Amino acid sequence: VAQLALVEQEQSASARLNNAPPDIVYATKPTVLIMIDGDPKLKDVEGTGLKTVVNTPYFIVQDNSTKIWYLKGREAWYSGQDVLGPWSQMTSSSPPNAVAELAAKTVSAPPDSVPKDDVKPVIPAVVVRTKPAEVIQTDGEPKFEPVKNTNLLYVKNSEDDIIMDIDSQQYYVLVAGRWYTTKSLVGGPWAYVPGDKLPKDFPSIPA
């Protein structure tokens, strides 16, 4: 009886989970997701002519005079006309002195930020979101391999779990411990799939 009561509690808790799909962004080249917690909240930085976004862990500022936004990446600076993007890498210019000086005061360098000899750092594209989101990536266009003894394919040139069911031509992606499905990796829409609704061959996927 105690075990049954525990199962009922677990089922009740599971039913209350928010399984709505996040904004799933598919990319075929290195891409980093910049999260802002809701609509951007701006704060003037005294004596600088800059505004900074305070509801994000990332260094994002706007120059009040030009209205241009600046983002400090791991290996590069980015600029844009809108805080939500699109963002472009700054390759031929540097941010204004006030922006660079503020970043130097407030952003601590990661411990492994110094590239190894002859290793060119990867400069990712940037996407900004203000609501729950995830980025799934492949190294170029997706390359499929069959999952042995199943009617499934998996994308081998990705660190994400991306499966295609050959019968339905549906993609399945594991995000934050939940499976979501779509007909199109690029366009969506995405839908949550409970474990007992996954294709019958899923239990045959090897570790």
Side-chain angles (χ1 to χ4, degrees), residues 141-182:
E141 294 302 315
K143 297 178 181 178
F144 295 93
E145 286 283 342
V147 179
K148 190 175 180 180
N149 299 322
T150 72
N151 242 16
L152 304 173
L153 304 173
Y154 76 96
V155 176
K156 69 175 184 178
N157 59 330
S158 174
E159 295 184 3
D160 298 299
D161 296 306
I162 308 174
I163 304 288
M164 172 184 264
D165 177 35
I166 296 174
D167 293 335
S168 65
Q169 293 293 294
Q170 288 280 129
Y171 295 97
Y172 292 83
V173 174
L174 186 63
V175 170
R178 299 172 179 83
W179 286 99
Y180 295 92
T181 186
T182 185

Side-chain angles (χ1 to χ4, degrees), residues 4-201:
L4 287 173
L6 181 59
V7 169
E8 290 178 354
Q9 290 176 6
E10 291 175 345
Q11 289 176 340
S12 176
S14 178
R16 292 194 301 271
L17 289 175
N18 181 6
N19 293 315
D23 183 6
I24 299 177
V25 180
Y26 171 64
T28 57
K29 60 182 181 181
T31 300
V32 63
L33 174 64
I34 303 296
M35 290 300 304
I36 299 175
D37 187 14
D39 293 334
K41 297 178 181 178
L42 305 181
K43 180 181 179 181
D44 287 310
V45 182
E46 188 176 351
T48 65
L50 304 174
K51 286 187 177 72
T52 183
V53 181
V54 298
N55 56 332
T56 180
Y58 301 92
F59 182 83
I60 305 176
V61 298
Q62 184 184 38
D63 187 324
N64 292 336
S65 60
T66 63
K67 303 303 180 184
I68 295 177
W69 292 89
Y70 297 94
L71 167 66
K72 177 74 170 67
R74 184 186 185 89
E75 303 288 352
W77 280 94
Y78 300 83
S79 64
Q81 299 294 327
D82 191 304
V83 67
L84 300 182
W87 290 88
S88 300
Q89 180 196 353
M90 300 180 66
T91 55
S92 59
S93 60
S94 300
N97 289 337
V99 175
E101 289 171 3
L102 181 62
K105 294 176 183 177
T106 58
V107 180
S108 55
D112 57 348
S113 61
V114 180
K116 297 179 181 178
D117 293 341
D118 301 325
V119 177
K120 187 176 181 180
V122 175
I123 308 300
V126 166
V127 294
V128 176
R129 293 293 184 271
T130 58
K131 296 180 180 179
E134 296 283 347
V135 170
I136 57 172
Q137 303 181 49
T138 53
D139 184 11
E141 294 302 315
K143 297 178 181 178
F144 295 93
E145 286 283 342
V147 179
K148 190 175 180 180
N149 299 322
T150 72
N151 242 16
L152 304 173
L153 304 173
Y154 76 96
V155 176
K156 69 175 184 178
N157 59 330
S158 174
E159 295 184 3
D160 298 299
D161 296 306
I162 308 174
I163 304 288
M164 172 184 264
D165 177 35
I166 296 174
D167 293 335
S168 65
Q169 293 293 294
Q170 288 280 129
Y171 295 97
Y172 292 83
V173 174
L174 186 63
V175 170
R178 299 172 179 83
W179 286 99
Y180 295 92
T181 186
T182 185
K183 279 283 188 183
S184 170
L185 289 176
V186 177
W190 294 86
Y192 167 68
V193 186
D196 59 356
K197 302 298 183 184
L198 291 168
K200 58 181 176 57
D201 282 338

